Structures are given as structure tokens and as C-alpha cells.
Amino acid sequence: MENFDMILKYLNTYNEDELFYKKYYELQDDPKKLDQFVQDFGMQKIKERRLIVPHLQIYPVEQTESYENLSISEQDLFDDKMSNRDAFLSKHNRYSPVYLHTHNYFELFYVMTGQCHQKIRDEYMTLHAGDLCFIAPYTQHTLEVFDDSIVINILIRISTFDDIFFNLLRSKNVLSLFFMNSLYTSRQMDYLLFQTHVDEDIYTGILSMMMEQMADDEYTNRIIYSLLSVFFTKLVRKYGKTATYSMEHKNTDSHLQDIISYIYDHYQSVTLNDLAEHFHFTTAYCSRLIKNHTGRNFKDLLKDIRLRKAQNMLLTTNAKISDISSRLGYENKESFNRLFKQHYGMSPSAYRERADGLRPIIYN
């Protein structure tokens, strides 16, 4: 544990944002002193640091109409410095105001010390040291830490998840089911909870990723997602059979994971007839199975897989748009451009250019 002294000191020390939030929390019952504190701190500084100030309706996302359910996107999170990162770790700011929000990326909470309180949709729960909770994209939730407890956030892009962790998705376990449901089916688990009781492997795994992130060089991204792959595998091996999850989801057909894996491997040219023949189904049964479990027909599912791969290529390579179109199996660049714009609201070139100018914001 000696090698982790620096990161542990960093995690336990209150940063500037936490000091602001703690004072803000302590002054909640004295409006005059609260207003004076905020004024002395400075509105310009609050805006620059994108702090949350509920009584002044200052939100972490610009142009948000309601504080009751903020929607945070990958574009809000990753910028030019982070555009080549597939995962990001941060300490949850203690005493930060509680707000109900959703986002379009995966989020993990790991309670390193103490405890925290969480609301996921209408379900309240208390997490204790060693608990690790996965939150699915688009799931309404809050997180409360109003003491010295240490909670680590791990944020993972959907847009690059497939390529990085797809071998994990091929394994049939509770974690692969969680990710598969989140990415491809209409029967999503809201959360997946592992209680590791401060397992040393899990604890040091988190610290190792935090230390690697602090190294912050050209190798950091690849090392972090390699560490995440090992981390997930150890987590499932030790605690997969005891994990708990939201009860609203329905069981996914055992064939669906194999079907999606096959489409993923043959996305350039696969047809519904190819798929049915490979799995010895009738075309009608195969089509119905996909529709019932994903809420999409085969054509739309194939399009989603191709476009997610396009996102990854645009973010992580310098390939020409025409080359990306060809690799994805589209007959011409114009068809690809049209489908991408319909799905994401901008052309592939505009999407790539926008990724070059985004700023990382870690919301807590």
C-alpha cells in the first residue's frame, strides 16, 4: 500500500470545490450569510469552475431548463484533452448539492471509505465501503456524500465501449448482461451493485487506475482500459453470483448475445438471412426475436452497430470519411453521411471537429 500514499493523500485532502461546497452546506440555514459567502467567492469563479449553486439556479450544464432532472452528455464531459479517453476517474466532490440527473454514458460509483446515499429512479439505497454500483445510461439518479467519505466515479463512453470491452460482452455473466441490455435492448437494468467488502484486489485496482490517470501521457488511455478489463474480470469472478440489480428488467433471450456478437463480427455485409441460417432459425423467427428483445428490427440494429463503430473511428483515428464509410459497408459516402446526420444531428466531419473543442467537466 506504500506506493499509494500520494493518491490517498490527494483523495483525503479537500480540494477547492469541496471546500466551497462544504461551506455552502454549512450555511444553508442562514440565507444572508450564504449570499454573502457566494458573493465573496465570486460569480466569475463559480462559472469558470462550473460549480453547482442551487439557490441561484446555477446548474452544471448550460441552457438547462430544470434543475430537477439534468441531462448530461458525453459532449459535456470530454474535450480536446479528453477526446481520446475512453474512461475517466474522479473523486466525487464531498458536500456537493444533490441533483437528479441522467447522462448518456456509463457511470460507476465505488465507495472507498465511509458511505454514501443514492436514489435511482424511485429507489433509495445506502452504499457502504467496498460497494461498487454501475449506473446504466439514461437512468435518473442522485448521489449524496455529506461527510468525509471517499467515493470514486468511473465514467465510460458508450461510443467507444463496444470496441474496447466487446470481448467482455461475449462472456455470459451478470456484468455482460448489464452492458448488453444497456447498449442493445429495450429491457435495461437501471443499476448493478457489487458488495466487495473492501476487497484488497478491488480497492488497489481502483487506486492503480487513479494513479495511471495522474500520469496523464500518451499511454494513459490504453493502460486504463486494459486495467478496467482486468478489473471487471476479477469483479465478476469473485462477486458475479452475489451481485444485485434493479428488478424491473426482464430476462434476455440466451440467443440474443450470440446474435449481437455475430452481427458485430460481420457488420460490413451481414444480412438477416445470413443470421437466420447461421443460427438455424427461420428468418421470421430471427426477425421476431431481435424485435422483441431490442425494440428494433434487424436493419435498425445493424445501423446502430455500424454508427457506433463510426463514432469510435471518428474519435480515435484520422481516417478519411470515405474510408470509414467503406469500412462500415456502405456503398457510398453520401449514404453514410445522411444516416449519420439523421442519427446524431450533424455530419461525420462536424462530429469530429466538435470533438476537438470540447472541455472535460466531471459532474458530482
Side-chain angles (χ1 to χ4, degrees):
M1 299 298 291
E2 185 177 350
N3 293 334
F4 296 127
D5 286 349
M6 180 180 68
I7 190 66
L8 288 170
K9 181 178 180 181
Y10 161 76
L11 292 172
N12 282 287
T13 301
Y14 274 74
N15 61 40
E16 188 176 5
D17 291 354
E18 289 178 310
L19 292 173
F20 171 85
Y21 286 136
K22 186 175 183 181
K23 189 67 174 179
Y24 186 92
Y25 175 80
E26 292 169 348
L27 294 175
Q28 289 293 307
D29 295 330
D30 193 330
K32 289 185 179 181
K33 287 185 179 180
L34 181 62
D35 286 338
Q36 187 63 50
F37 166 69
V38 170
Q39 183 177 338
D40 291 344
F41 190 85
M43 291 302 298
Q44 184 63 31
K45 197 173 180 180
I46 287 172
K47 290 180 180 179
E48 287 175 355
R49 300 190 66 82
R50 304 210 181 186
L51 298 174
I52 305 167
V53 187
H55 84 288
L56 296 181
Q57 296 188 327
I58 297 176
Y59 313 137
V61 182
E62 294 182 0
Q63 298 178 339
T64 299
E65 295 181 0
S66 172
Y67 184 72
E68 295 301 317
N69 186 16
L70 303 182
S71 180
I72 303 170
S73 70
E74 285 187 4
Q75 287 78 13
D76 295 316
L77 182 65
F78 296 96
D79 78 341
D80 56 337
K81 183 178 179 182
M82 295 298 299
S83 62
N84 65 340
R85 293 288 178 85
D86 300 300
F88 191 84
L89 291 87
S90 68
K91 175 177 65 170
H92 179 90
N93 279 333
R94 290 166 287 191
Y95 291 94
S96 56
V98 177
Y99 60 96
L100 186 66
H101 65 284
T102 64
H103 38 63
N104 67 348
Y105 47 84
F106 289 103
E107 183 168 18
L108 288 64
F109 297 118
Y110 176 71
V111 185
M112 185 159 282
T113 64
Q115 64 179 24
C116 68
H117 304 285
Q118 186 168 251
K119 178 184 178 184
I120 302 177
R121 299 197 191 274
D122 296 322
E123 185 175 352
Y124 289 88
M125 62 180 73
T126 298
L127 305 185
H128 302 278
D131 289 351
L132 191 151
C133 187
F134 291 73
I135 305 293
Y138 309 107
T139 298
Q140 292 180 340
H141 63 283
T142 65
L143 184 67
E144 304 175 26
V145 182
F146 292 116
D147 56 23
D148 293 333
S149 300
I150 303 296
V151 178
I152 304 299
N153 300 77
I154 305 177
L155 314 172
I156 305 175
R157 292 181 186 267
I158 287 183
S159 54
T160 54
F161 186 92
D162 303 50
D163 283 337
I164 298 168
F165 297 111
F166 196 73
N167 284 334
L168 173 68
L169 298 181
R170 295 175 186 272
S171 304
K172 293 185 177 179
N173 55 62
V174 67
L175 190 55
S176 64
L177 178 63
F178 171 79
F179 285 125
M180 184 69 74
N181 282 1
S182 298
L183 290 168
Y184 295 113
T185 79
S186 56
R187 298 168 180 179
Q188 176 175 292
M189 296 182 189
D190 290 335
Y191 69 86
L192 178 63
L193 176 63
F194 294 87
Q195 295 177 306
T196 72
H197 309 290
V198 200
D199 181 298
E200 186 173 351
D201 271 349
I202 304 303
Y203 182 86
T204 57
I206 295 287
L207 290 178
S208 295
M209 288 186 281
M210 290 290 293
M211 285 190 67
E212 179 54 43
Q213 182 164 280
M214 292 181 73
D216 193 23
D217 59 26
E218 65 268 31
Y219 306 105
T220 295
N221 187 61
R222 183 171 294 276
I223 291 174
I224 286 180
Y225 76 64
S226 295
L227 290 173
L228 270 174
S229 295
V230 173
F231 180 83
F232 288 162
T233 303
K234 287 184 175 181
L235 186 66
V236 171
R237 181 170 67 182
K238 287 189 170 185
Y239 302 102
K241 293 182 180 180
T242 58
T244 58
Y245 43 81
S246 54
M247 298 306 296
E248 291 184 1
H249 89 287
K250 300 177 182 178
N251 291 330
T252 301
D253 189 281
S254 59
H255 294 297
L256 184 64
Q257 198 163 351
D258 295 330
I259 287 174
I260 291 176
S261 293
Y262 188 86
I263 296 173
Y264 199 92
D265 288 339
H266 303 86
Y267 64 90
Q268 292 178 312
S269 59
V270 66
T271 66
L272 181 60
N273 287 336
D274 294 336
L275 201 61
E277 183 176 346
H278 179 80
F279 288 99
H280 307 291
F281 296 149
T282 65
T283 303
Y285 176 81
C286 191
S287 177
R288 188 165 60 250
L289 188 153
I290 292 171
K291 180 69 174 179
N292 287 345
H293 289 279
T294 71
R296 290 164 283 187
N297 58 35
F298 167 79
K299 184 177 179 181
D300 288 336
L301 178 60
L302 176 61
K303 181 182 71 174
D304 287 349
I305 290 174
R306 284 176 168 178
L307 290 178
R308 190 169 284 127
K309 279 189 165 288
Q311 271 190 301
N312 184 39
M313 292 180 193
L314 289 167
L315 290 171
T316 61
T317 76
N318 293 320
K320 295 179 180 179
I321 304 299
S322 56
D323 290 340
I324 292 175
S325 173
S326 178
R327 291 181 199 177
L328 293 173
Y330 291 104
E331 294 182 359
N332 57 69
K333 175 183 172 182
E334 288 70 28
S335 295
F336 168 61
N337 283 344
R338 184 175 61 256
L339 287 172
F340 192 94
K341 188 171 184 178
Q342 287 175 353
H343 197 80
Y344 296 109
M346 64 184 76
S347 68
S349 57
Y351 183 87
R352 174 179 273 167
E353 289 170 5
R354 182 176 179 181
D356 290 336
L358 299 174
R359 172 180 174 78
I361 310 164
I362 305 307
Y363 298 108
N364 300 288

